[in-house]
Amino acid sequence: MDDAKIVQLYWERDEQAIPATARKYGRYCTAIAKNILGNNEDAEECVNDTYLSAWNSMPPHRPSVLSAFLGKITRNLSLNRYRHNTADKRGAGEATVILDELEGLVSDISSVEQEIDRKELVKAINTFLDTLSSEKRSIFVCRYWYFDSISNIAAHFGMTENNVSVNLNRIRLKLHNYLLERGFEL
Amino acid sequence: MKKEEFAEVLGDINEDYIKEARKPKKNRISVWIKWVAVAACLAVVVAVAVFVPRKTTDPALPDQDETKDVELADSNDSDDSQAEDVKLADNNDPDDTSDDARLQEQIWELQAGDSLGWLVVDDKIYVQSGVEYRETDEDIFLGKASSFTGNYQDGDGCDGDVYAAYANSNIIYIKLDNGGIVILEEKTE
């Protein structure tokens, strides 16, 4: 079933929307949740919550890229669950390592104390990503949006793991400088 | 900003980039090289279909491969392109010329049509109906088809060697060497 039809089912409040979503994007969402959480049980719950959240947000939303829309919900829910899980102990997923990689980009001061316009920051990141080649951008997105492991990224792009790590280091450094130059002291 | 907050901010990046990251890696080659390669591959497939059955009676020809798997026409050998392979891993009786001929007819028929992504598995033709990009799930391919012929090449110039295929009802999943998984639906007349 194509995406427009699935979205239409949500808009018509047809409950078939959920199984149709699960058939087409269940694995996609599960992969994201599993990358972040590292265990099937939590990942499955987050994916089920994704369907519920999609049901509650369509309408009014009519996403143009359904996969990214669903993936984003799963990602947010999984990150919330990750934070909850790690309040007591470290998570078993890829998230801990990836968040540590992002540590170099930020000051670790809560944004409540900083005055950062989040929309402007996203815009700046998008502009930065636009300057990268398609492959480098995708490597960055695979790592920091999908929370993919280095080995999976290396396999997907036909690179060595070391090559992927070096590329990610360089992109992070470039992003850091790019944001600093534009006044984003994170 | 805390790293968790920054990770959240990254969640709002352009959706096109999110989609782009899950696309199979593209091998860009010029259109004419691609079609020359496809034509060459198909010519070899037809030649094998004609000559392989004679091998058993013609002592001048090399012995039949015991595995009955033949991998044909790697176009990478003939030029520097990364054109697609056509793989023939037929576990049917090699002496059954009628099956081979029928398969070739179907392939030629597809070649003449609009569909660019196609596969023949156990005498059923599957054509591209949609593409789903997702994490590779090895489980899907545990029961992979032992017999498949075809290539994958979509209208956007994305292609790749098919190295695993799994048929389920009228749906077939194929795994490309670039990590992409493509779903094809059985062709219905």
Side-chain angles (χ1 to χ4, degrees):
Chain A
M1 190 180 293
D2 71 33
D3 289 356
K5 277 186 193 157
I6 296 176
V7 172
Q8 195 53 37
L9 288 177
Y10 280 103
W11 274 69
E12 288 166 359
R13 311 312 290 157
D14 185 333
E15 287 177 8
Q16 285 307 309
I18 307 278
T21 305
R23 268 195 301 276
K24 190 162 183 188
Y25 292 112
R27 284 170 184 274
Y28 172 83
C29 292
T30 305
I32 296 170
K34 218 174 146 189
N35 279 350
I36 296 172
L37 295 163
N39 76 76
N40 289 330
E41 227 171 81
D42 284 351
E44 226 167 81
E45 272 185 43
C46 282
V47 172
N48 287 332
D49 290 347
T50 300
Y51 303 144
L52 183 65
S53 179
W55 179 261
N56 290 333
S57 53
M58 287 187 284
H61 287 290
R62 196 180 275 279
S64 53
V65 185
L66 184 60
S67 59
F69 176 79
L70 295 166
K72 200 191 254 182
I73 296 174
T74 306
R75 187 181 184 276
N76 288 340
L77 290 170
S78 303
L79 281 173
N80 285 341
R81 175 65 66 98
Y82 168 81
R83 269 197 288 268
H84 174 77
N85 287 355
T86 48
D88 302 319
K89 55 182 170 48
R90 306 281 278 181
E94 196 72 15
T96 306
V97 182
I98 292 174
L99 289 173
D100 284 347
E101 288 173 12
L102 292 176
E103 207 159 31
L105 287 162
V106 293
S107 61
D108 210 27
I109 299 167
S110 170
S111 62
V112 181
E113 298 165 38
Q114 297 172 308
E115 285 188 9
I116 295 169
D117 185 332
R118 195 173 154 138
K119 272 190 182 168
E120 285 301 313
L121 178 56
V122 172
K123 213 168 141 188
I125 295 170
N126 278 333
T127 314
F128 168 77
L129 290 175
D130 197 40
T131 65
L132 299 178
S133 68
S134 167
E135 184 169 87
K136 288 206 166 119
R137 183 167 54 236
S138 292
I139 289 172
F140 182 87
V141 172
C142 282
R143 185 67 173 163
Y144 301 113
W145 200 92
Y146 286 102
F147 286 76
D148 284 341
S149 66
I150 298 281
S151 57
N152 277 352
I153 297 172
H156 183 72
F157 290 94
M159 300 164 85
T160 63
E161 292 185 21
N162 185 47
N163 204 345
V164 172
S165 296
V166 168
N167 268 297
L168 286 170
N169 278 336
R170 284 183 187 153
I171 297 169
R172 282 201 310 272
L173 186 63
K174 270 170 110 177
L175 175 60
H176 183 63
N177 293 337
Y178 184 91
L179 294 175
L180 271 183
E181 281 166 17
R182 278 149 192 81
F184 291 101
E185 288 194 26
L186 306 177
Chain B
M1 181 173 274
K2 288 190 172 291
K3 56 191 178 185
E4 291 86 358
E5 290 170 329
F6 189 67
E8 268 180 26
V9 170
L10 287 175
D12 289 333
I13 58 167
N14 190 334
E15 291 184 342
D16 290 337
Y17 299 153
I18 298 164
K19 202 175 168 188
E20 175 190 55
R22 277 300 185 259
K23 277 190 179 174
K25 218 178 85 186
K26 294 189 173 189
N27 298 323
R28 297 191 181 283
I29 56 171
S30 66
V31 171
W32 75 267
I33 289 177
K34 197 175 278 183
W35 284 109
V36 166
V38 169
C41 292
L42 286 169
V44 175
V45 169
V46 171
V48 168
V50 172
F51 288 111
V52 165
R54 292 179 192 172
K55 282 165 91 176
T56 51
T57 55
D58 188 348
L61 290 169
D63 289 343
Q64 183 80 29
D65 183 353
E66 283 181 4
T67 64
K68 296 180 186 174
D69 287 347
V70 185
E71 183 168 325
L72 292 168
D74 187 345
S75 53
N76 291 333
D77 292 340
S78 56
D79 58 50
D80 61 356
S81 73
Q82 295 179 7
E84 56 286 317
D85 293 347
V86 172
K87 289 179 181 169
L88 174 62
D90 196 341
N91 61 1
N92 293 331
D93 182 355
D95 288 326
D96 189 348
T97 52
S98 60
D99 276 354
D100 279 352
R102 191 157 52 83
L103 207 59
Q104 295 318 314
E105 271 176 34
Q106 290 172 320
I107 291 170
W108 281 111
E109 190 187 322
L110 271 175
Q111 191 61 31
D114 292 326
S115 175
L116 291 173
W118 54 271
L119 207 74
V120 179
V121 179
D122 298 333
D123 287 351
K124 281 185 182 174
I125 294 184
Y126 297 81
V127 294
Q128 184 181 350
S129 66
V131 182
E132 190 174 331
Y133 304 107
R134 58 182 182 221
E135 286 293 290
T136 302
D137 185 344
E138 296 297 339
D139 293 347
I140 295 177
F141 297 100
L142 283 179
K144 68 182 178 185
S146 57
S147 155
F148 60 95
T149 304
N151 76 348
Y152 176 72
Q153 177 185 33
D154 74 11
D156 296 329
C158 171
D159 56 13
D161 296 340
V162 178
Y163 76 90
Y166 166 65
N168 180 13
S169 182
N170 63 335
I171 300 286
I172 184 154
Y173 300 89
I174 61 172
K175 188 156 76 170
L176 305 179
D177 63 345
N178 57 21
I181 295 175
V182 183
I183 297 176
L184 307 176
E185 249 175 37
E186 186 184 354
K187 187 187 180 195
T188 50
E189 296 299 338

